[in-house]
CSV table of all heavy atoms in Angstrom, one decimal:
chain,number,residue,atom,x,y,z
A,70,PHE,N,3.0,-62.3,-19.5
A,70,PHE,CA,4.0,-62.0,-20.6
A,70,PHE,C,3.3,-61.2,-21.8
A,70,PHE,O,3.8,-60.3,-22.4
A,70,PHE,CB,4.6,-63.3,-21.2
A,70,PHE,CG,5.9,-63.7,-20.4
A,70,PHE,CD1,5.9,-64.8,-19.6
A,70,PHE,CD2,7.0,-62.9,-20.5
A,70,PHE,CE1,7.0,-65.2,-18.9
A,70,PHE,CE2,8.2,-63.3,-19.8
A,70,PHE,CZ,8.2,-64.4,-19.0
A,75,LYS,N,5.9,-59.0,-23.7
A,75,LYS,CA,7.2,-59.7,-23.6
A,75,LYS,C,7.1,-61.1,-24.1
A,75,LYS,O,7.7,-62.1,-23.6
A,75,LYS,CB,7.7,-59.8,-22.1
A,75,LYS,CG,7.9,-58.4,-21.5
A,75,LYS,CD,9.2,-57.8,-22.1
A,75,LYS,CE,9.5,-56.5,-21.4
A,75,LYS,NZ,10.7,-55.9,-21.9
A,78,ALA,N,10.4,-62.8,-25.2
A,78,ALA,CA,11.1,-63.3,-24.0
A,78,ALA,C,10.6,-64.7,-23.6
A,78,ALA,O,11.4,-65.6,-23.3
A,78,ALA,CB,11.1,-62.3,-22.9
A,120,ILE,N,12.3,-69.5,-14.1
A,120,ILE,CA,13.0,-68.6,-14.9
A,120,ILE,C,12.0,-67.5,-15.4
A,120,ILE,O,12.3,-66.3,-15.4
A,120,ILE,CB,13.7,-69.2,-16.2
A,120,ILE,CG1,14.8,-70.1,-15.7
A,120,ILE,CG2,14.1,-68.2,-17.2
A,120,ILE,CD1,15.5,-71.0,-16.7
A,121,SER,N,10.8,-67.9,-15.7
A,121,SER,CA,9.8,-66.9,-16.1
A,121,SER,C,9.4,-65.9,-15.0
A,121,SER,O,9.4,-64.7,-15.2
A,121,SER,CB,8.5,-67.6,-16.6
A,121,SER,OG,8.8,-68.3,-17.8
A,122,PHE,N,9.3,-66.5,-13.8
A,122,PHE,CA,9.0,-65.6,-12.6
A,122,PHE,C,10.1,-64.7,-12.4
A,122,PHE,O,9.9,-63.5,-12.1
A,122,PHE,CB,8.8,-66.5,-11.3
A,122,PHE,CG,7.4,-67.0,-11.2
A,122,PHE,CD1,7.0,-68.3,-11.3
A,122,PHE,CD2,6.3,-66.1,-10.9
A,122,PHE,CE1,5.8,-68.8,-11.1
A,122,PHE,CE2,5.0,-66.5,-10.7
A,122,PHE,CZ,4.7,-67.9,-10.8
A,123,LEU,N,11.4,-65.2,-12.4
A,123,LEU,CA,12.5,-64.3,-12.2
A,123,LEU,C,12.6,-63.2,-13.3
A,123,LEU,O,13.0,-62.1,-13.0
A,123,LEU,CB,13.8,-65.2,-12.2
A,123,LEU,CG,13.9,-66.1,-11.0
A,123,LEU,CD1,15.2,-67.0,-11.1
A,123,LEU,CD2,14.0,-65.3,-9.7
A,124,TYR,N,12.3,-63.6,-14.5
A,124,TYR,CA,12.4,-62.6,-15.6
A,124,TYR,C,11.4,-61.5,-15.4
A,124,TYR,O,11.7,-60.3,-15.5
A,124,TYR,CB,12.1,-63.3,-17.0
A,124,TYR,CG,12.1,-62.3,-18.1
A,124,TYR,CD1,13.3,-62.0,-18.7
A,124,TYR,CD2,11.0,-61.7,-18.5
A,124,TYR,CE1,13.4,-61.1,-19.7
A,124,TYR,CE2,11.0,-60.8,-19.6
A,124,TYR,CZ,12.2,-60.5,-20.2
A,124,TYR,OH,12.2,-59.6,-21.2
A,125,ILE,N,10.1,-61.9,-15.0
A,125,ILE,CA,9.1,-60.9,-14.7
A,125,ILE,C,9.5,-60.0,-13.6
A,125,ILE,O,9.4,-58.8,-13.6
A,125,ILE,CB,7.8,-61.6,-14.5
A,125,ILE,CG1,7.2,-62.2,-15.8
A,125,ILE,CG2,6.8,-60.7,-13.8
A,125,ILE,CD1,6.1,-63.2,-15.6
A,126,ASN,N,10.1,-60.6,-12.5
A,126,ASN,CA,10.5,-59.8,-11.4
A,126,ASN,C,11.6,-58.9,-11.7
A,126,ASN,O,11.6,-57.8,-11.2
A,126,ASN,CB,10.8,-60.8,-10.2
A,126,ASN,CG,10.9,-60.1,-8.9
A,126,ASN,OD1,10.1,-59.2,-8.6
A,126,ASN,ND2,11.9,-60.4,-8.1
A,127,GLN,N,12.6,-59.3,-12.5
A,127,GLN,CA,13.8,-58.5,-12.8
A,127,GLN,C,13.6,-57.5,-13.9
A,127,GLN,O,14.1,-56.4,-13.8
A,127,GLN,CB,15.0,-59.4,-13.2
A,127,GLN,CG,15.4,-60.3,-12.1
A,127,GLN,CD,16.1,-59.5,-10.9
A,127,GLN,OE1,16.8,-58.6,-11.2
A,127,GLN,NE2,15.8,-59.9,-9.7
A,128,ARG,N,12.9,-57.9,-14.9
A,128,ARG,CA,12.8,-57.0,-16.1
A,128,ARG,C,11.7,-56.1,-16.2
A,128,ARG,O,11.7,-55.1,-16.9
A,128,ARG,CB,12.8,-57.9,-17.4
A,128,ARG,CG,13.9,-58.8,-17.5
A,128,ARG,CD,15.1,-58.0,-18.0
A,128,ARG,NE,16.2,-59.0,-18.3
A,128,ARG,CZ,17.4,-58.6,-18.5
A,128,ARG,NH1,17.7,-57.3,-18.5
A,128,ARG,NH2,18.4,-59.5,-18.7
A,129,CYS,N,10.6,-56.4,-15.4
A,129,CYS,CA,9.4,-55.6,-15.6
A,129,CYS,C,9.2,-54.7,-14.4
A,129,CYS,O,8.2,-54.8,-13.7
A,129,CYS,CB,8.2,-56.5,-15.8
A,129,CYS,SG,8.4,-57.5,-17.3
Side-chain angles (χ1 to χ4, degrees):
F70 273 110
K75 297 289 184 179
I120 291 171
S121 296
F122 274 112
L123 292 174
Y124 180 86
I125 288 167
N126 195 39
Q127 294 292 321
R128 301 282 184 193
C129 300

